[in-house]
């Protein structure tokens, strides 16, 4: 999920309302999570899911993350939103594990959260409180990590990986520093930006690019997810090219947690 810093582009009245909401506890302010399943090509089932933060307000209506995330970062409220997403997501994971529904949950994280000394302890407490196995949790960072010290970020990430939690690089290819990140940051999964996927299969240049990119990432030891899959043609092309996982509206749209359970049961061949 590529977020541009456009919180300041809101009209003054809406921006002031959003700033007031951000000072409230996230659930009270109208924040919630929805979940987009991620398809595993080899197993032919949905074995992962991305938690997506949403905000609905009676006055503002549905507010785009492109508006509230930059404001949350500017006003030092991003940590509260991140903790809310982790708590809600891990509670859902725990319930699914109790029902023997296998799932790895991806949760978006701001690099600003990793800079906080208390983040590691907070994550440990959430995992302990919910009983979620750490290997079921994957934290997503976007290429905005360029704003942070890469060396310091690598150290923080290694501390979290020691718990058993893994990392994904989101929106790969949408920025300018991705190749360096692959060399120095301990990511397990690379999510190809939808800009690579949308031209498939009609663009020979993009087809050639993705055809060579996927095996290169595999050779480097990464799992690959294709984002923004919106057609059977794109899905079929990625499957032929060896993409490990796929995510997009063609496969599954984001849904509230009360719909996710039945969706996973209906689509997973090993769940009775």
């Amino acid at each position: 999920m590529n977020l541009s810093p456009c919180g300041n582009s809101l009209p003054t009245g809406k921006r002031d309302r959003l700033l007031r909401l951000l000072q409230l506890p996230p659930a009270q302010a109208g924040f919630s999570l929805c979940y987009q399943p991620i398809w595993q090509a080899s197993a032919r089932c949905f074995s992962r899911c991305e938690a997506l933060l949403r905000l609905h307000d009676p006055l503002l209506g549905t507010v785009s993350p492109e508006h509230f995330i930059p404001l949350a970062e500017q006003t030092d409220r991003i940590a509260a939103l991140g903790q809310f997403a982790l708590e809600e997501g891990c509670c859902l994971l725990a319930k699914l594990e109790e029902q023997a529904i296998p799932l790895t949950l991806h949760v978006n994280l701001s690099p600003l959260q990793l800079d906080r000394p208390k983040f590691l302890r907070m994550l440990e407490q959430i995992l302990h409180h919910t009983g979620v196995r750490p290997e079921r949790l994957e934290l997503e960072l976007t290429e905005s990590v360029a704003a942070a010290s890469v060396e310091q970020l690598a150290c923080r990430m290694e501390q979290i990986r020691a718990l058993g939690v893994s990392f994904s690089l989101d929106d790969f290819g949408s920025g300018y520093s991705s190749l360096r990140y692959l060399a120095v940051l301990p990511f397990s999964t690379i999510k190809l930006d939808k800009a690579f996927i949308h031209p498939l299969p009609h663009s020979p240049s993009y087809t050639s690019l993705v055809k060579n990119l996927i095996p290169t990432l595999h050779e480097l030891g990464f799992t690959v997810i294709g984002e923004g899959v919106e057609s059977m043609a794109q899905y079929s092309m990625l499957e032929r090219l060896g993409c490990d996982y796929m995510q997009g509206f063609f496969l599954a749209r984001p849904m509230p947690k009360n719909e996710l359970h039945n969706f996973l049961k209906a689509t997973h061949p090993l769940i009775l």
Side-chain angles (χ1 to χ4, degrees):
M1 180 173 56
N2 190 12
L3 301 175
S4 57
C6 55
N8 291 327
S9 65
L10 285 170
T12 301
K14 291 185 176 180
R15 188 174 188 274
D16 290 344
R17 170 68 177 175
L18 185 50
L19 287 171
R20 288 194 293 271
L21 291 175
L22 286 170
Q23 299 307 311
L24 299 174
Q28 183 180 339
F31 285 97
S32 63
L33 291 183
C34 62
Y35 302 87
Q36 186 172 25
I38 300 173
W39 178 262
Q40 183 177 357
S42 61
R44 305 196 70 77
C45 67
F46 293 97
S47 61
R48 299 190 182 204
C49 194
E50 181 178 358
L52 301 166
L53 194 60
R54 296 290 185 257
L55 172 61
H56 184 79
D57 176 65
L59 297 180
L60 299 180
T62 300
V63 182
S64 169
E66 294 185 354
H67 290 140
F68 66 73
I69 293 293
L71 276 182
E73 291 180 334
Q74 294 166 19
T75 57
D76 202 32
R77 291 295 293 166
I78 193 65
L81 294 185
Q83 181 172 345
F84 171 77
L86 284 168
E87 289 173 343
E88 289 288 303
C90 285
C91 284
L92 175 65
L93 265 184
K95 292 179 181 178
L96 293 175
E97 286 194 349
E98 288 176 359
Q99 300 170 55
I101 298 178
L103 192 73
T104 297
L105 184 68
H106 290 234
V107 178
N108 291 279
L109 197 67
S110 167
L112 296 178
Q113 294 170 257
L114 288 184
D115 282 339
R116 292 177 173 268
K118 296 182 180 180
F119 178 80
L120 181 63
R121 179 59 180 158
M122 180 266 290
L123 180 59
E124 289 178 316
Q125 289 175 339
I126 291 174
L127 292 172
H128 176 74
H129 176 72
T130 59
V132 166
R133 288 178 289 165
E135 61 269 22
R136 290 296 188 188
L137 180 63
E138 188 149 325
L139 303 178
E140 290 196 7
L141 297 174
T142 69
E143 290 189 336
S144 65
V145 293
S149 164
V150 175
E151 291 73 19
Q152 181 178 345
L153 184 61
C155 180
R156 295 278 190 186
M157 291 173 67
E158 288 291 3
Q159 292 175 330
I160 293 170
R161 273 169 51 93
L163 300 178
V165 176
S166 55
F167 284 91
S168 298
L169 178 58
D170 196 14
D171 301 329
F172 177 79
S174 63
Y176 300 98
S177 303
S178 294
L179 294 179
R180 185 188 178 203
Y181 298 156
L182 299 188
V184 300
L185 296 178
F187 290 105
S188 300
T189 303
I190 305 299
K191 301 186 75 174
L192 298 181
D193 188 71
K194 61 185 179 182
F196 287 112
I197 309 304
H198 284 178
L200 301 180
H202 308 294
S203 168
S205 58
Y206 274 96
T207 298
S208 179
L209 179 61
V210 175
K211 180 180 179 180
N212 287 280
L213 186 55
I214 290 175
T216 299
L217 292 171
H218 284 161
E219 187 174 346
L220 293 170
F222 298 112
T223 297
V224 181
I225 299 177
E227 295 187 286
V229 179
E230 296 182 355
S231 70
M232 173 60 80
Q234 292 169 349
Y235 169 83
S236 298
M237 173 65 73
L238 287 171
E239 188 175 41
R240 288 199 301 272
L241 296 179
C243 191
D244 303 298
Y245 294 85
M246 284 163 266
Q247 179 179 1
F249 283 4
F250 172 72
L251 294 158
R253 290 179 175 269
M255 61 190 71
K257 64 181 180 182
N258 59 342
E259 294 180 15
L260 180 65
H261 175 270
N262 290 336
F263 179 87
L264 293 173
K265 288 188 68 173
T267 57
H268 199 293
L270 300 181
I271 300 175
L272 301 178

